[in-house]
Amino acid sequence: MEMDAQVFERGFNHCDLDAIQSAISDDLEFYHDQGGVQDRAAFMAAFTQNICGGGETKPIRRLVADTNRVFPLYGEGELYGAIQQGDHNFYNRGHDGVEVLSGSAAFTTLWMLDAGEWRMRRVLSFDHSEADETAGYRSPLFDNDRHLEAAMALLDIPSMALARIEGGRLQQVRVLGELVEGRAAPVDAIYNIASLTKPVTAMLTLKLVDAGLWDLDEPLRDYYVDPDIADAPELARLTTRHVLTHRTGFPNWRYLAADGVLRFEFEPGSRQQYSGEGMEYLRHALEARFDRPIEDLAHEYLFEPLGMNDTHFIWSEAVSEERYAIPHDTEGQPLEIERHTEANAADNLLTTAGDYGRFLAYVIGGAGLSGDLWLQTITPATDRPEGVPFGLGWQVIQNLPGDGYALQHTGADTGVRSIAILYPETGQGILALSNSENMGLLWPKLIAESFEPAGAEVLRRNLANQ
């Protein structure tokens, strides 16, 4: 892979002729399905003229990582070479630096060890296709079912559900794999989405605020007081805004404390700290104020208007167990089903990729909120330009390529993983749900490939936040 990078990243993409020449054999044979057969001299002449000839656009090569395979070659127990196979996409890069897909191809390369140095000796470059020829396009992992199924098998991921939003509308839902061994996952498979519950609670609250029925900055103690903090001086300053921006001062969960007692760890509003306890505190306040369970409120303001008929905070007769994606551990083994009968505003929402995809399309269009409230929703509450700070209910990543921004949230519990990324200014978004913890291993690739060119920067910000 170091040699692949030398030839293509340094040589092909940046026109480092020395890097190319030092990586190819004197007896190179290059077979191209459109350009014929080339020896070393002809290859370098064509490369210099066609790739680095100084035209208006510069072709760029990107390896489709999930297709890359390397086979070592041994003779009498000694390594003497390797065969590399894979697909790669090609892009044109204009003066503005934007890369536009131009085509794709497959390749097989024979690498040989020559006095301890790797050299490219034989190359087959074939199946070239233009970008508009869909059948030949080497798509990213999450656009290719075959590649996805291979990754799922490798990582012991039983099933995965994907939803894609284009132009502000839900355009595609795909479900792969099995709910449990022997039972194929249907397109309306039901998943526990863990902390992707929080954006739903947040949006329900904002709908109530927009309707004039709730105040973001009113003390929550007016409606609910948890006995653990009844005498805490910080209680008088705790508001819904603090909850939705994760600045309550609470830990994530009280059970993580040695004594299991909820307490303020810092002054509300002074800094950001992710907290499920905050969302649950808000739920208790909402239910006390409206004298209705959060399930009923969500059905009135979100689920029924959006047609989210398979979405529930609690397990009831309305949940089809036959369509439930049973959580699996890291070894691919099914876990015991937990049928939650009490709502949790931060966790355990049951839904389908179609239902949650409709919710995301609603959010990406502003969710019908007033302009000022929507602006507050997408404005980070803390100044963390290199991280992923929270607005109202969503992580907000600003100043992306093209001056855009992204909304993001993830979910992670035992046996399940979920992630949603939205680009409101372009009307694009992607959702991934899974009944396996191992799905988290694919998150970086999903983030990076979500939508070009912003996805790579979103991934960088996430890594900077760790």
Side-chain angles (χ1 to χ4, degrees):
M1 294 314 300
E2 290 179 4
M3 295 307 298
D4 181 278
Q6 178 175 330
V7 171
F8 288 101
E9 181 60 27
R10 290 172 53 192
F12 191 98
N13 293 347
H14 291 90
C15 288
D16 185 339
L17 299 184
D18 290 338
I20 288 280
Q21 295 193 81
S22 64
I24 60 178
S25 296
D26 291 340
D27 59 347
L28 172 74
E29 292 180 7
F30 185 85
Y31 299 85
H32 195 285
D33 63 354
Q34 296 177 7
V37 182
Q38 300 171 353
D39 59 12
R40 177 187 171 99
F43 173 82
M44 287 304 305
F47 178 85
T48 302
Q49 178 179 347
N50 299 331
I51 306 302
C52 301
E56 293 186 0
T57 60
K58 167 69 181 72
I60 301 297
R61 179 263 198 179
R62 302 291 184 208
L63 177 65
V64 182
D66 304 278
T67 69
N68 185 66
R69 297 186 296 170
V70 177
F71 306 89
L73 300 175
Y74 293 92
E76 299 181 353
E78 294 293 327
L79 180 70
Y80 69 87
I83 296 173
Q84 180 188 9
Q85 294 180 328
D87 299 337
H88 38 206
N89 293 330
F90 297 95
Y91 301 79
N92 288 329
R93 182 163 61 194
H95 296 301
D96 57 2
V98 175
E99 296 180 6
V100 179
L101 181 71
S102 60
S104 60
F107 69 92
T108 299
T109 300
L110 172 63
W111 294 90
M112 298 292 286
L113 273 173
D114 182 5
E117 299 292 333
W118 288 100
R119 296 287 185 269
M120 180 186 286
R121 181 170 294 180
R122 304 286 184 268
V123 180
L124 307 178
S125 183
F126 56 96
D127 196 21
H128 285 79
S129 304
E130 297 297 327
D132 58 356
E133 295 181 13
T134 306
Y137 169 50
R138 268 71 181 183
S139 61
L141 174 63
F142 286 84
D143 283 347
N144 189 307
D145 285 357
R146 178 171 60 87
H147 296 166
L148 263 179
E149 288 166 352
M152 290 168 63
L154 179 67
L155 297 174
D156 290 323
I157 298 174
S159 78
M160 183 183 303
L162 303 170
R164 193 174 185 91
I165 296 165
E166 294 280 358
R169 301 180 63 184
L170 177 62
Q171 295 286 357
Q172 183 188 72
V173 173
R174 292 151 58 211
V175 180
L176 300 91
E178 297 181 328
L179 302 181
V180 69
E181 187 174 1
R183 190 193 310 167
V187 71
D188 56 353
I190 297 172
Y191 291 84
N192 180 326
I193 62 170
S195 287
L196 274 191
T197 305
K198 293 180 177 72
V200 172
T201 300
M203 195 53 60
L204 166 63
T205 305
L206 294 175
K207 296 298 291 184
L208 294 170
V209 170
D210 213 37
L213 302 175
W214 194 254
D215 191 325
L216 279 173
D217 299 304
E218 186 177 7
L220 288 174
R221 72 172 186 180
D222 291 354
Y223 303 104
Y224 175 73
V225 175
D226 188 292
D228 283 1
I229 56 172
D231 298 324
E234 297 92 344
L235 182 59
R237 295 179 288 280
L238 179 64
T239 68
T240 299
R241 189 182 299 275
H242 294 144
V243 170
L244 299 186
T245 56
H246 290 272
R247 296 182 301 146
T248 59
F250 293 154
N252 190 12
W253 295 109
R254 73 183 75 192
Y255 69 77
L256 297 174
D259 57 6
V261 174
L262 178 64
R263 55 176 55 87
F264 288 97
E265 296 183 347
F266 54 86
E267 180 70 22
S270 62
R271 61 186 175 90
Q272 178 182 302
Q273 177 172 280
Y274 190 74
S275 176
E277 287 286 354
M279 302 300 288
E280 271 288 82
Y281 205 103
L282 175 60
R283 175 178 70 86
H284 285 294
L286 289 170
E287 292 183 338
R289 161 68 179 81
F290 294 100
D291 194 26
R292 298 172 63 187
I294 192 173
E295 179 96 1
D296 287 356
L297 291 169
H299 271 281
E300 178 179 347
Y301 287 92
L302 291 176
F303 301 164
E304 291 182 12
L306 298 180
M308 298 171 65
N309 300 320
D310 275 320
T311 302
H312 304 278
F313 278 92
I314 60 175
W315 191 291
S316 68
E317 293 181 356
V319 178
S320 171
E321 188 163 336
E322 289 298 310
R323 291 188 281 126
Y324 181 61
I326 298 174
H328 287 66
D329 63 19
T330 56
E331 302 300 320
Q333 297 302 308
L335 302 173
E336 184 177 351
I337 298 177
E338 295 185 42
R339 298 172 178 83
H340 300 278
T341 56
E342 182 177 348
N344 187 320
D347 199 10
N348 296 325
L349 190 74
L350 301 170
T351 192
T352 66
D355 271 16
Y356 208 90
R358 282 184 282 275
F359 169 71
L360 294 180
Y362 184 58
V363 172
I364 211 169
L369 300 178
S370 64
D372 179 64
L373 187 56
W374 175 247
L375 182 61
Q376 294 179 62
T377 300
I378 63 174
T379 299
T382 56
D383 184 17
R384 301 177 66 189
E386 277 302 295
V388 282
F390 273 89
L392 295 176
W394 289 91
Q395 291 175 299
V396 184
I397 305 175
Q398 297 181 313
N399 302 317
L400 296 176
D403 295 324
Y405 69 96
L407 302 179
Q408 170 189 291
H409 211 291
T410 62
D413 274 341
T414 302
V416 298
R417 291 292 186 271
S418 55
I419 184 172
I421 307 171
L422 303 177
Y423 299 90
E425 292 190 346
T426 63
Q428 297 173 307
I430 191 166
L431 167 73
L433 312 177
S434 179
N435 60 339
S436 170
E437 297 177 42
N438 294 340
M439 169 62 187
L441 298 172
L442 296 180
W443 278 1
K445 188 163 184 62
L446 174 63
I447 294 172
E449 290 184 351
S450 55
F451 294 97
E452 297 181 352
E457 177 62 12
V458 171
L459 176 59
R460 190 190 71 79
R461 302 280 187 87
N462 274 274
L463 296 176
N465 194 54
Q466 292 180 354

